[in-house]
């Protein structure tokens, strides 16, 4: 069974950083890009960036450049997303997603809730 | 970036109704168009890829059509489990989503 397993919910203070993990199972981790998508409460889906697990190549969405860092550990089949300089409007559900066959997001993690509050 | 616009933003319908949701791209995206269903607090699920290909396990009451810039998702006979939010997504360039269509029970 193909799964993406994400780390648990976090509560952070403004200005702090958070690092979310995403462990892949049931497929070859290096065969598919991993995207990060977030969803603020009551809002739609916002693409943050992607990482190529094969070579570590990355691309970040304009809105997050300078604050987001995506990495991976192929020995653990795990991708990571770190967001710094947290603000209250970063409070959201963060998903890791496999960019699969047919140019679609075919496997989603369950999401990690990040709450930013003083 | 390519902008995706869905209409309507929300829709009320009854079990058994036929429902159509529209997605328009502001530039040509060929057939790089996918549809997702999301229920509250859950991750989206891929329903349809490449405009009209039904993902394995998705009921046949779901269908997609369109080309170029204009696309539709149709649910032929609504079932209680279909009430959710639906998103289109283009993969022609940097992936982007429509704003979503919330399908509610009338």
């Amino acid at each position: 069974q193909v799964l993406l397993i994400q780390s648990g919910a976090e509560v952070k203070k403004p200005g702090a950083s958070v690092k979310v993990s995403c462990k892949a199972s049931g497929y070859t981790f290096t065969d598919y890009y991993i995207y990060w998508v977030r969803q603020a409460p009551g809002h739609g889906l916002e693409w943050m960036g992607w990482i190529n697990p094969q070579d570590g190549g990355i691309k970040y969405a304009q809105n997050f450049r300078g604050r987001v860092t995506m990495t991976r550990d192929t020995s653990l089949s795990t991708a990571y997303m770190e967001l710094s300089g947290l603000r209250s409007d970063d409070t959201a559900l963060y998903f890791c997603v496999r960019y699969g066959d047919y140019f679609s997001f075919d496997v989603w993690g369950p999401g990690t809730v990040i709450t930013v509050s003083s | 970036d390519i902008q995706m616009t869905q209409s309507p933003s929300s829709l009320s319908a009854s079990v058994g109704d036929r429902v159509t949701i529209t997605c328009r791209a502001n530039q040509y995206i060929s057939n790089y168009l996918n549809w997702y269903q999301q229920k509250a607090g859950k991750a989206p699920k891929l329903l349809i890829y490449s405009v009209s290909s039904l993902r394995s396990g998705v009921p046949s009451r779901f269908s997609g059509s369109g080309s170029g810039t204009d696309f539709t998702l149709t649910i032929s006979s609504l079932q209680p489990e279909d009430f959710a939010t639906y998103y289109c997504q283009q993969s022609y360039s940097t992936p982007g989503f429509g704003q979503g269509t919330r399908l509610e029970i009338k």
Side-chain angles (χ1 to χ4, degrees):
Chain A
Q1 185 183 8
V2 176
L3 290 174
L4 296 173
I5 302 163
Q6 296 184 228
S7 48
E10 304 249 21
V11 179
K12 296 291 183 180
K13 294 193 181 300
S17 297
V18 68
K19 190 171 186 176
V20 181
S21 66
C22 171
K23 181 173 177 60
S25 64
Y27 74 98
T28 302
F29 177 60
T30 51
D31 281 353
Y32 297 91
Y33 284 32
I34 292 288
Y35 279 67
W36 291 88
V37 174
R38 82 174 185 182
Q39 185 171 40
H43 286 75
L45 302 166
E46 180 180 23
W47 166 74
M48 299 179 69
W50 56 254
I51 184 165
N52 178 356
Q54 174 72 35
D55 61 10
I58 52 171
K59 182 174 182 177
Y60 302 141
Q62 181 73 31
N63 287 350
F64 298 95
R65 285 177 198 163
R67 289 207 302 140
V68 70
T69 304
M70 295 178 186
T71 56
R72 94 291 189 215
D73 184 334
T74 55
S75 68
L76 298 177
S77 296
T78 299
Y80 303 91
M81 186 281 297
E82 184 170 20
L83 189 62
S84 62
L86 289 169
R87 310 183 292 246
S88 58
D89 62 359
D90 289 319
T91 294
L93 185 55
Y94 290 76
F95 297 103
C96 63
V97 195
R98 190 179 84 164
Y99 194 57
D101 300 327
Y102 307 107
F103 306 98
S104 63
F105 295 118
D106 64 349
V107 181
W108 293 68
T112 297
V113 175
I114 305 297
T115 303
V116 182
S117 174
S118 55
Chain B
D1 289 357
I2 297 175
Q3 303 301 317
M4 307 299 293
T5 303
Q6 289 181 230
S7 61
S9 296
S10 64
L11 174 61
S12 295
S14 301
V15 173
D17 285 354
R18 179 184 180 89
V19 167
T20 297
I21 298 169
T22 297
C23 177
R24 174 167 288 177
N26 68 348
Q27 64 185 75
Y28 175 80
I29 60 169
S30 185
N31 67 336
Y32 293 94
L33 191 284
N34 308 309
W35 289 97
Y36 302 83
Q37 177 194 67
Q38 185 182 32
K39 297 185 178 179
K42 301 294 187 181
K45 292 182 179 179
L46 177 65
L47 294 177
I48 290 173
Y49 59 91
S50 302
V51 177
S52 58
S53 296
L54 209 60
R55 191 181 191 190
S56 176
V58 174
S60 60
R61 62 182 179 272
F62 291 92
S63 64
S65 64
S67 65
T69 60
D70 294 309
F71 305 89
T72 59
L73 171 70
T74 299
I75 309 172
S76 61
S77 178
L78 275 173
Q79 299 301 301
E81 61 268 29
D82 299 337
F83 292 95
T85 299
Y86 293 85
Y87 293 93
C88 63
Q89 176 256 322
Q90 63 80 17
S91 294
Y92 186 79
S93 67
T94 312
F97 295 90
Q99 81 278 15
T101 295
R102 184 175 179 181
L103 179 53
E104 301 173 319
I105 300 174
K106 185 182 287 184

